[in-house]
Every structure is written in C-alpha cells, then in structure tokens.
Amino acid sequence: MKTLMIKQYYGDYDAMKGGGGSEIPADKKPAAKTLSSGVSSEWPLWEVFVRSKQGLDHKHVGSLHAADAKMAIENGRDVYTRRQEGVSIWVVESKHIHASNPDEAESFYEPAADKVYRHPTFYDLPDSLTHM
Amino acid sequence: MSVQELDKIFQDKIDAEIRIEPKDWMPEKYRQNLIRQISQHAHSEIVGMLPEGNWISRAPSLKRKQILIAKVQDEAGHGLYLYSAAETLGITRDQMTEQLLSGKAKYSSIFNYPTTTWADMGVIGWLVDGAAIMNQVPLCRTSYGPYSRAMIRVCKEESFHQRQGFESLLVLSKGTDDQRAMLQDAIDRWWWPSLMMFGPTDDESPNSQLSMKWKIKRFTNDELRQRFVDMCAEQVKLLNMTLPDPDLKWNEERKHYDFGAINWEEFWNVVSGNGPCNKQRLDARNKAWEKGAWVREAAVAHAEKRRARLKSEAA
Amino acid sequence: MTDTNYKPAGKAPFPPGRAGGWAFILHLADNALIIGQRNAEWCGHGPALEQDIAITNISLDQIGQARMLYNYAATLYNGFDSNEKTAVDHLVPRLWKAYNRELEEDDLAFLRDERQYLNLLLAELPKGDWAQTVLRQFFFSAFQFYQYTELQKSSDTQLSAIAEKSIKEVTYHLRWSAEWVIRLGDGTEESRRRITDALGELWMFTGEAFKPAPYEVIAVEDLKGAWIEKVATVFAEADLELPKSGWSQAGGKEGKHTEHLGYLLADMQYLQRTYPDSTW
C-alpha cells in the first residue's frame, strides 16, 4: 500500500502539511548533484500562467524548470509564447501551490449541486417583464 | 477504502471518459506504465532533435534554415511539455534524463538512422512526423489529464511539421534530376524504418493490452500502421516518386493497401543498440548534459546568493 | 543614400550615395546572419532544455533580421544603374552572374566569398562554451542596441523600419545575455573562471564595432561611450573587472576575417554551391 500512495509533484501538495517537498522514497531519488551549499543543482519546477490577451484571466499552460523567478518568466516566454499565445506571464514555484484533495471532492463540491436558487433561471417571471 | 474499491472507482472513471488527474488515486502499474510511455515519448523528442539538427548549419536557403530551426526547437518544447507531464507522476526530469543517458530508457528507434542528404529533412517531416502524428492524435484523448493536455499542445504545433516537410519535398520533386534522385533515395531509406515506428505487431506488443484497457492507448500498433500505409501510398503519387515495396497493392476486398513484410530483425537490432547512430546519439546527449552541468550549477548558485543578499538587506 | 547621419568618408572605395549605403546594409545583414548561424549550433546541445529553446529563439530573430536586410539589399541592387552596379561589383557574388536572373537574398547569403563578407569578427568566432556564447551575445547585442537605435532615425524608411522591428528583439537579447553574464560572474567558482576566460578571448574583438568603415552610415565611434557604460553596469553586477582598452582586432568590416569564417561559410553554403541555381 505504501507505494500506492507516493506523493506526486505539481498539484499534489498537501495544504495541511504546508505544501512543498516531494515524498519520493530516498532510494528512488537520483544522485542529484549538490552545490557546496548543499542545494541541489536541479532547477526547481515552476508553473506557468499566461494571459492570452488583455481582459482575460491568466490560465495555467504548463510547467518548466528555472533557477529563479526572472529566468522562469523568460523561459515561460520562450517556451509557451513562441506563437503569440500571450501578453502576460505569471510564474509560481510549484512547491508553493496548495491543492484541494480529490478524496474530499464529494464534500467539497457536491453540496453546491442543489443550490438551484443561485441561478437566474430558477426564477419564473412573466415575459412582459423586460430589462431583467 | 480497499485497493479493490479504489481500483473499481478508478476503472469506472476511465470507462466514463473522465480524465485521471495527478492527485487522484491510481494503480501503481498505471502510474509506472504512464511514466514509461511519457518519458519514452519525451526522450524521442529530445533525441529526435539531433538527426535534423544535423542539417541546420547547411540548410540550402535562409527560409529553410528558419523553418528547420523552428521545427527542431519545437521538438525541444515538446520534450519539455512531456517531461512536465511525467513529473506530475512523481519522477523528476533529472531522473528521466539519467535513465536516457545511461541507456536504460528507450526512445524511438527511427532517430538512430543517419540523415545523409538534405532530402532527409523533408522526408522526416512527411514520413516520420506523419507516423508520429498518427500515434499522437489519439493520445490527445488519453486518460491521464496532464499527458492529454501536453499532447493537445504537441499536436497543435506538430501540424506545421508535416506540412513543411511535404512542401519542401514538392519543391524537390519539381527540381533538377539531381534533386529528384536525392528525394527518391531519401524515401527509399526512410520508408521501412517509418513503418517500424508503430512498434511490434499487436501479438508481440507486451504492454498494449493493459494500455488499451486504461485508455492510455486507443488504437493498436497494427491499426495505426495500416492507416499510415494507406495515407502514404496515395501521397507519394503527388511527388511522382515510389515507395520501396514491390508488394504494395490496393486490396479492394479489405479496402486497404497490402504491404510487404517488415524486417523485424532490423527493428530489434536497432532497438537493442546496434543501429547506425545509437552510440552517436547517446554520446551527443551525454556531452550536452555533462558540458551543461557547470552552467546549471552556476545558475542555482547565483539564485541562492541573490536570495541570501535580499534576506540580509531586509534584515 | 541621403541619410542625415551619413558622413562622406573620403578614403572610401564607395562613393557616397546609394552604392555606399549598399555595403553598409550588407554589413548589418552579415552581422545578423553569422552570429545567428553560430547561435544555431546550440540547437539540440544546450545546457538545459529551456535554454536550448532560448538561444535558438535568438538565432531565429537574427536570421530573420538578416533576411529582411538581404532582401532590401537585393531589391536595391536590382534597381541600381550601371554606375552604381560597377561601384559595388566587388561585393556581388560571382557565381550568381552566370545565372542571368535578378539578385535574390539567398544569393547574397550563400554565394559570396569570405572576402565579400562584411561582418564584425566578433560575430564569427566559434561559439565556445556557454560563457563565451552569452558574453559574445551580450557585447554584440549591446552594440546592436545602440546601432539600431540610431538607425531608427535614418531617413531611409526601409532601413529605419527594419531597425524599429529588430530593436524589440535586440532589447530582449540584451536583457537575456546580460542576465547570463551576471549569473556566471556571480555564480560558482567554475563559472567565474569560465566567464573570465571568455572575456580574455573576446575583449580584443569588441573595439572593431566602433571603428567606422568607409561605408559606415552612422557615427559608430560616438556609440562607444554608451556601450562601455552598459558593459560596466552589467560587469559591476557580475563582479567582473572591465578590461583596460588595449589592442583591437579589426578587418571584418572590410572583408578581412579570422580563419574561422571560411569554415562557417563552407558549411553553410555547401548545397547552393554544389547544386548551383536550384530551387529549394
């Protein structure tokens, strides 16, 4: 069962644990090179969000590796906007993303299903009423 | 919940065409299967840059040079999208790279053939990318969300690759005798290896059945191969060239082209490392990786220093 | 050329006028093409996937600039009168003359000999390691930035339009390369050693840009101050020492090159020379 529950990278950070940190078993980790400061030489993973045009939201488009935020934005530009896909880029280091837990999907999202009164179509009004 | 119950929920989702997302429970074997397939696919994109990169410096016009660079660069992008998709499954890009460089991971054998003339560039676009697209389009609907999203992006970009390839072949086909000879020779060399790209026949493909059940794959190797043959047998006529297969013939009953036997001995030989360029390709990737190590380290070291400076300034 | 910035240079093999400006356009185009060709050598061999993509993007921008300029040069040439054609005859590809058709961009790129290429020596030096590539790019982009800023003011509307489009690209190249110079200078011991070595290799090739060639349309010597200032700012952040200005290699602008260019051209021009006058 233990191997079935390996924690994944992006989108799989347990908010309760404060995010960050993968849980790959130590023996499966690569012999990643580290600097004298003890920091891994593998560039961290970033999530990239692109605004395709003014007036629209930034949308998640994918991930990339970069040593720092500046480089992540530039890499985002080179990797994800080569075909004029965007006018603005957000990047966030993947480890800072907190995600909801799919095991709790039912209790999270299904209670919204019967709140029909939140939708305008719930209300029956005469056709003669205009501008509403 | 027991594993059996989780497994049932999982398979129900797959059957209902609901995508599996990174945080969802999934059988370990599904995860392993995906990692294997996605990383192989990513490696193929990255190694696939080399045979075409071989002609960037010698492209015969500035326009063709731009197109070729843009195409090879796209392949780097595709590798990147795919590595990212695999990274959601709990493996890092460095780990996957290590598997490639050590020779442990496989990539598409087609890239172990040499590109010896300029016509190879167009023929790769037409046949190799054509075969790849056949494989890839169904993958846009693959059951794993990040893989499917990566493939949608890949396919969108890939469509220019095949078109530019065929267009450059049309130009050669209308060119001088030398150019036409160059074209036929390239078709002759790439045709059979392209057919091998669809992998072993269905009865010899060990992972196929499970992949179909989990909707990682949606068509069998042989189905896709037949489609490809049917397509190319028609397209080659536009080039006034021939495919190097005396047994290629339309079968009215099957409504498909019959084609000759594939030399599987050659296929397994190349897969097991004896292709003309296996060593050269891996050497090139190893060299790039090793020579890049100090660059990657410097960037991390600088980022660290900068963070530390900001911290001490703030303090 | 009736550029307000144009300064007749007396000693020129090119009389002032359109034919004089023609060599200058080739000089700009050759710079862009040759450095673009060098940067493309990284494609498939970069130190990280993301940077492989970044450097090839730069290469694509540069080849795009070269194409616009060669196109313009070819159009100009085809419209020249016989006097003007004679004045630039030594720059026209010999092989093309047998083709009996108008001059095209690819003829200029693929059929001119080494002595007819007018790029800066800096552009043709081997790509070296990543330190050499990014430092060369930084020196080049900083120069190109000020050069194209001036060119935007040109009364030659075609040239100013090309400069206006290109400077957006150049601004990004400058930013990208400056950041890498800083990263390597202020990175690890090894990166610092490598960027310092690169500086030793490249510095003597930076002065050429500011020595006006006979055909020079803008006052390049006036750009040196701004260039040095930019380099000094970035070097300060990279903790690198600005070398004393010493002896400068020159000659590229007049077609006298290093030994490296011949190999680059032999490689690049091979198909066009092997199969003359074919369509690709």
Side-chain angles (χ1 to χ4, degrees), chain A residues 3-4 8-12 24 28 30 33 41-43 61 63 65 67 79-80 82-83 99-102, chain B residues 22-24 28 31 73-74 80-81 84 87-90 92-95 153 157 160 296-297 299-300 303:
Chain A
T3 50
L4 295 177
Q8 318 309 348
Y9 274 73
Y10 98 152
D12 195 25
I24 293 178
K28 285 193 180 167
K33 286 190 77 172
S41 71
E42 181 165 14
W43 293 351
V61 293
S63 330
H65 288 268
V79 173
Y80 290 106
R82 294 200 303 285
R83 290 178 170 80
S100 65
N101 185 340
Chain B
K23 279 194 79 176
D24 295 344
E28 179 59 13
R31 202 178 66 86
Q73 189 198 37
D74 271 354
L80 194 154
Y81 307 152
S84 301
E87 281 181 282
T88 64
L89 291 160
T92 68
R93 194 199 288 175
D94 276 12
Q95 282 174 307
R153 189 171 277 276
E157 298 185 355
F160 114 77
R296 296 189 299 273
E297 285 163 22
V300 170

Side-chain angles (χ1 to χ4, degrees), chain B residues 152-168:
Chain B
I152 288 169
R153 189 171 277 276
V154 168
C155 287
K156 223 194 250 169
E157 298 185 355
E158 193 86 31
S159 61
F160 114 77
H161 295 183
Q162 200 191 6
R163 292 175 69 92
Q164 68 79 28
F166 201 79
E167 188 248 1
S168 82

Side-chain angles (χ1 to χ4, degrees), chain B residues 197-229:
Chain B
M197 279 179 73
F198 295 92
T201 53
D202 293 346
D203 42 341
E204 304 245 344
S205 184
N207 299 307
S208 248
Q209 222 189 340
L210 206 49
S211 292
M212 295 284 283
K213 179 187 164 206
W214 284 335
K215 297 190 180 170
I216 295 175
K217 267 172 89 161
R218 288 178 175 263
F219 297 98
T220 70
N221 296 351
D222 286 334
E223 281 169 355
L224 291 171
R225 187 164 18 237
Q226 180 68 59
R227 263 197 225 179
F228 180 70
V229 171

Side-chain angles (χ1 to χ4, degrees), chain C residues 150-209:
Chain C
E150 284 304 303
L151 276 178
Q152 286 186 97
K153 303 175 200 158
S154 171
S155 57
D156 179 329
T157 52
Q158 189 69 30
L159 210 50
S160 66
I162 293 173
E164 200 180 319
K165 180 187 180 297
S166 306
I167 202 148
K168 294 174 192 145
E169 299 165 348
V170 173
T171 304
Y172 187 79
H173 305 166
L174 181 57
R175 171 195 159 111
W176 179 89
S177 56
E179 277 169 18
W180 267 109
V181 168
I182 294 166
R183 270 188 204 109
L184 298 185
D186 183 36
T188 60
E189 230 168 87
E190 178 171 9
S191 71
R192 194 173 167 71
R193 175 178 63 73
R194 284 177 182 267
I195 193 96
T196 311
D197 287 352
L199 184 55
E201 290 284 323
L202 298 177
W203 185 253
M204 66 177 146
F205 293 99
T206 56
E208 184 190 4

